[in-house]
Amino acid sequence: MADLIRRYVVMGVSGCGKSTVGAAFARQIGAAFLEGDLLHPPANVAAMAAGRPLDDAMRAPWLDAIAGRLQRAQAPGLVVSCSALKRAYRVRLAAGGPVTFVHLVLSEAEARARVRARPGHFMPDSLVASQCAALEPLGADEPGWLVQATLSTAEILQHLAARTEGQI
């Protein structure tokens, strides 16, 4: 299976640990890691920094950029951090080939606390409520897994290792 390309999106609301878990998971499986926030157009970053939530039209070019990176992934694979809040976004992300989603589940209160404690990030805690309102949890019919974001990174990685054993 060495030539098999695996594509993962670590998803959830701001503060759930997408970047931390995504980078660690990529190292664990020997894949590349892409911080999805780096692909946001400057206007999106400015809007969020000003406390304005993104709408579907604003997210479209960002999602398309991430989908393009997923489609061009090389073996053994790519792990991307991306909120992927709605099912329609996940369908868009997977349009170029199969993607497995890792939904890091976190309460709104915990997400707000984590975002407040995160220095230097453009996303204010005031936007967590809008993300939680927009979130459509990963469905049982979607490829991927729900994982409690309150687990330690090591525990999350153990869970993912058990799920991906033999795949890479």
Side-chain angles (χ1 to χ4, degrees):
M1 290 206 189
D3 60 347
L4 186 62
I5 300 172
R6 292 286 178 197
R7 296 168 181 92
Y8 297 93
V9 172
V10 180
M11 61 167 281
V13 298
S14 189
C16 71
K18 295 181 295 290
S19 299
T20 300
V21 170
F25 182 46
R27 283 190 303 273
Q28 177 173 286
I29 64 173
F33 174 69
L34 173 63
E35 170 58 63
D37 280 345
L38 296 177
L39 298 182
H40 269 298
N44 284 10
V45 175
M48 289 184 283
R52 293 189 309 274
L54 302 181
D55 60 24
D56 290 352
M58 294 172 83
R59 284 189 177 101
W62 173 62
L63 292 167
D64 289 344
I66 293 172
R69 293 287 187 93
L70 286 163
Q71 186 174 4
R72 294 187 304 274
Q74 302 291 312
L78 177 64
V79 177
V80 180
S81 61
C82 173
S83 56
L85 297 173
K86 297 181 181 181
R87 180 184 285 259
Y89 300 168
R90 296 187 292 271
V91 168
R92 190 176 200 140
L93 290 169
V99 174
T100 302
F101 294 92
V102 177
H103 181 175
L104 299 177
V105 179
L106 193 65
S107 72
E108 182 175 340
E110 180 66 20
R112 286 182 73 99
R114 287 182 180 192
V115 170
R116 263 194 305 273
R118 184 172 60 185
H121 195 275
F122 62 83
M123 180 79 163
D125 71 303
S126 62
L127 290 182
V128 171
S130 67
Q131 284 200 331
C132 289
L135 178 65
E136 296 172 2
L138 189 67
D141 62 331
E142 292 182 272
W145 315 294
L146 298 172
V147 182
Q148 291 301 315
T150 53
L151 297 172
S152 71
T153 301
E155 290 170 316
I156 293 170
L157 292 175
Q158 287 174 347
H159 175 82
L160 297 178
R163 296 289 194 147
T164 59
E165 190 175 329
Q167 291 183 346
I168 294 203

